[in-house]
Amino acid sequence: MDEPRLKLAIQKSGRLTDPSLDVLVRCGLKISRGKDQLMAYGENMPLDVLFVRDDDIPDLVQEDVCDLGLVGLNVLEEKRLELAARGHPVRFQALRTLDFGRCRLVLAVPQEHPYEGVASLQGKRIATTYPYLLEQYLREHAVSAEIVTLSGAVEIAPRLGRADLICDLVSTGSTLQANHLREVQTVLESHAVLIRTPLALAPLKSEWVERLVMRLDGVQQVRESKYIMLHAPRAALAEIRRLLPGSEFPTIIPLEGSPDKVAVHAVCRENVFWETLERLKKAGASALLVLPVEKMLS
Ligand code: PRP
Ligand code: ZN
């Protein structure tokens, strides 16, 4: 009998597409994908990737068409509120928060418009593709405004006279800038989330979900980690160890022909910024080298 295969839905084209594929490759998945194909076959894991509209991902997983989905918290939360408003149960389950796809749902007004806090939203028309999140935000802030629900191109609504301001996603901010809009309030901070079907999985599938989640955790840990090497005067060792970000037990190695100095090697579980290197150098370190960590299993 054929091994059952997991189906994982990701965004077809957009903010999450490349980072989602990237993280799967880092988890060891080899996929073949022709351009414009709707599904990619996992060659070395019983897992296939489906490319779909991000807004469809919660439903696909909720209805068990796909076992897993990678989707933005913004889409998930909007769907959660929509289901609740319709009296339907929310059945998809969040497995992991992921460290990519960061963006935020914001309120933005035309550049020249004054804005003096949430109260100035009273009676305004707000264009959005996130009516449920916006409605919740307005309710929580005891403001009543008209929600103009659009299916896209929200940022041009004020110029067309369809709305006074917008509630839309921002990541780099270039869309807002190009449309002469200014961010005034954050409604939701978002990032990618891995969700799973509410139904029980066959044992083999379930085993692979566990492996995938464990690898995802490893990938996230490694992304921030660096291997740092440097030379330090013995006298400055204590200070230098204190400056190494998130490292517990550095390896200290004597240097041939240089009795006052040692080499220090350490895994830092946080990013090593230029500022840290400058501080280390000031403390007496030399020959500083920072390397990326590829895999980690502890
Ligand atoms: C959002 C939003 C803007 C853009 C902002 O669309 O509607 O168009 O991203 O990004 P920026 O700040 O980097 O310019 P998204 O890509 O999520 O498309 P979708 O809503 O159709 O899925
Ligand atoms: Zn979308």
Side-chain angles (χ1 to χ4, degrees):
M1 209 185 82
D2 281 347
E3 198 178 357
R5 299 182 66 82
L6 283 168
K7 287 206 265 315
L8 164 68
I10 72 168
Q11 187 179 28
K12 187 174 154 56
S13 68
R15 187 191 333 279
L16 293 179
T17 311
D18 287 341
S20 298
L21 286 171
D22 177 64
V23 88
L24 291 171
V25 168
R26 282 169 192 268
C27 286
L29 180 69
K30 283 202 175 71
I31 49 172
S32 54
R33 185 198 181 194
K35 243 196 156 11
D36 304 324
Q37 246 179 290
L38 296 183
M39 188 161 132
Y41 182 83
E43 291 167 6
N44 58 342
M45 288 186 203
L47 183 152
D48 298 327
V49 179
L50 274 83
F51 299 90
V52 301
R53 276 188 54 220
D54 63 344
D55 313 63
D56 293 336
I57 294 176
D59 278 334
L60 289 170
V61 173
Q62 166 117 342
E63 286 155 21
D64 198 42
V65 178
C66 293
D67 307 286
L68 299 169
L70 269 174
V71 65
L73 183 69
N74 52 305
V75 172
L76 271 190
E77 289 306 299
E78 179 71 8
K79 179 55 78 174
R80 213 185 275 282
L81 294 172
E82 184 191 331
L83 286 169
R86 300 201 165 150
H88 295 311
V90 176
R91 297 186 303 134
F92 54 79
Q93 296 164 14
L95 282 179
R96 278 295 185 279
T97 285
L98 300 166
D99 62 359
F100 63 88
R102 294 201 173 276
C103 58
R104 52 199 186 278
L105 185 64
V106 305
L107 291 169
V109 302
Q111 207 66 265
E112 66 287 355
H113 269 214
Y115 179 82
E116 279 123 30
V118 189
S120 44
L121 300 174
Q122 183 69 32
K124 293 282 170 24
R125 293 166 305 154
I126 312 177
T128 192
T129 55
Y130 295 86
Y132 290 95
L133 280 166
L134 177 57
E135 196 269 334
Q136 170 180 268
Y137 181 85
L138 294 172
R139 189 161 19 87
E140 282 172 2
H141 290 82
V143 170
S144 76
E146 184 191 335
I147 298 174
V148 180
T149 305
L150 302 178
S151 55
V154 166
E155 58 276 3
I156 60 170
R159 242 182 311 155
L160 297 178
R162 297 189 66 182
D164 302 302
L165 66 150
I166 67 165
C167 173
D168 200 10
L169 280 189
V170 174
S171 49
T172 60
S174 60
T175 303
L176 285 191
Q177 203 178 8
N179 289 281
H180 308 284
L181 295 162
R182 143 175 99 88
E183 187 178 333
V184 292
Q185 212 88 56
T186 301
V187 174
L188 179 84
E189 300 269 0
S190 185
H191 48 75
V193 180
L194 176 71
I195 57 170
R196 63 157 282 170
T197 168
L199 300 189
L201 293 166
L204 269 177
K205 279 186 164 187
S206 166
E207 207 174 282
W208 270 103
V209 170
E210 262 173 51
R211 284 176 82 171
L212 187 67
V213 167
M214 216 153 57
R215 291 184 188 185
L216 280 171
D217 288 345
V219 166
Q220 302 212 88
Q221 223 181 28
V222 148
R223 226 197 280 268
E224 288 277 282
S225 297
K226 294 282 178 283
Y227 193 74
I228 184 165
M229 305 194 274
L230 55 86
H231 290 177
R234 279 185 188 278
L237 208 47
E239 170 68 357
I240 281 169
R241 281 185 64 163
R242 203 184 55 78
L243 288 170
L244 289 174
S247 88
E248 281 150 42
F249 302 107
T251 308
I252 315 283
I253 310 158
L255 283 175
E256 187 74 17
S258 177
D260 310 336
K261 276 190 174 181
V262 289
V264 179
H265 292 190
V267 173
C268 294
R269 286 178 188 263
E270 290 164 38
N271 217 336
V272 180
F273 296 104
W274 280 110
E275 288 74 10
T276 310
L277 293 184
E278 286 158 3
R279 268 181 230 128
L280 285 163
K281 195 168 157 60
K282 229 177 169 175
S286 57
L288 291 136
L289 205 55
V290 180
L291 307 173
V293 174
E294 188 172 292
K295 289 191 180 69
M296 196 187 271
L297 200 66
S298 34

